[in-house]
Amino acid sequence: LGLVGSEMCIRDSRWDEDVIDHYVEMIRALRRRNIEPVVTFLHFTHPKWLHDHCPWPREESKAPDYFARFVERMMRAIDDRVRWFTIMNEPMVWLLGGYMTGVSPPGHAGLRELFLASQALVRGYLAAREAISRRQPKARCGIAHNVVRFAPDRPHDLGDRTMTRAVARFYNWAIPEVLTSGRLSVGLFPGLRY
C-alpha cells in the first residue's frame, strides 16, 4: 500500500487529516480480511511544494527532514496496525530517472544533481528507518529493489564485458550496499575502488 505524500501533506507540516484517515481505514480493511499490509512511504511521489521549497539535490537539503516528518506523522496514524514497511520503492530507478536522464519527475539531468539527491535520499532513508523504529522497535523495514540483468553489446570484447560488470554492480548493488554498510564502493575497474 503506497502512501501518497503529495495527497496528505498540503504544505510543510499541514496535513489533510481526511486523506490520512482514508489510508488508515484501508489498512484496517486489509486487517479485517486477514491480509498483512506492507506500507510504502516513498513511491516516486512528492508534494510539489517540496520540490520547490527544498529539493533533494541541494547541498544540505532539508528534504530528508521533511520525509522523516511525513513518516513520523504516518506512524502515529498507523500505530501498530502494520509491521512491514518499504521505506522507498526502487530508489535507483527514481534517482536515475529523475536526476540523471530526466525522464521522470522532477525531470533533471546532471551528475551533480544525481550525486546530491543520492546523498539526501540515503539520509532520508536512515531518518525514516529511525522514525519507524522509535514507534515500532520490531518493525521490518527495507526498500523495494529493482535488479536488472545487463549484457555486453559485444560479449567477446573485454572492454564491453568489464564495463557491463561495473554498470551492473553499480545499478544493482550500490543502494543496498550504502544502506546496509554506510559505505559506497563502486568498482569500475578490477582492483580500483572509489
Side-chain angles (χ1 to χ4, degrees), residues 12-145:
D12 200 344
S13 293
R14 289 182 19 228
W15 306 96
D16 187 327
E17 298 298 331
D18 291 336
V19 174
I20 292 172
D21 290 344
H22 174 72
Y23 279 100
V24 170
E25 182 50 41
M26 285 194 293
I27 291 168
R28 286 186 184 127
L30 290 169
R31 283 278 181 211
R32 284 192 299 270
R33 291 167 178 81
N34 294 317
I35 298 171
E36 180 82 30
V38 178
V39 165
T40 301
F41 289 107
L42 181 58
H43 193 188
F44 305 151
T45 63
H46 299 84
K48 183 177 180 328
W49 67 262
L50 180 73
H51 285 296
D52 296 340
H53 180 64
C54 59
W56 290 91
R58 182 181 284 172
E59 300 275 350
E60 303 302 318
S61 174
K62 297 292 184 197
D65 301 328
Y66 281 102
F67 179 57
R69 285 201 300 230
F70 165 65
V71 171
E72 286 170 2
R73 175 63 187 91
M74 292 313 302
M75 289 301 295
R76 284 195 311 273
I78 291 168
D79 200 30
D80 63 352
R81 295 176 188 93
V82 177
R83 298 181 299 173
W84 295 84
F85 298 94
T86 303
I87 295 173
M88 298 174 176
N89 181 71
E90 300 178 340
M92 186 62 84
V93 172
W94 180 68
L95 286 167
L96 294 178
Y99 296 101
M100 186 172 154
T101 62
V103 298
S104 58
H108 299 260
L111 289 178
R112 184 171 192 281
E113 285 196 328
L114 172 65
F115 178 72
L116 291 171
S118 299
Q119 287 181 321
L121 198 66
V122 169
R123 289 195 318 272
Y125 172 88
L126 296 173
R129 188 176 69 190
E130 187 175 308
I132 294 167
S133 295
R134 275 195 308 270
R135 189 78 183 182
Q136 282 193 44
K138 294 183 180 181
R140 306 295 298 197
C141 303
I143 62 171
H145 184 54

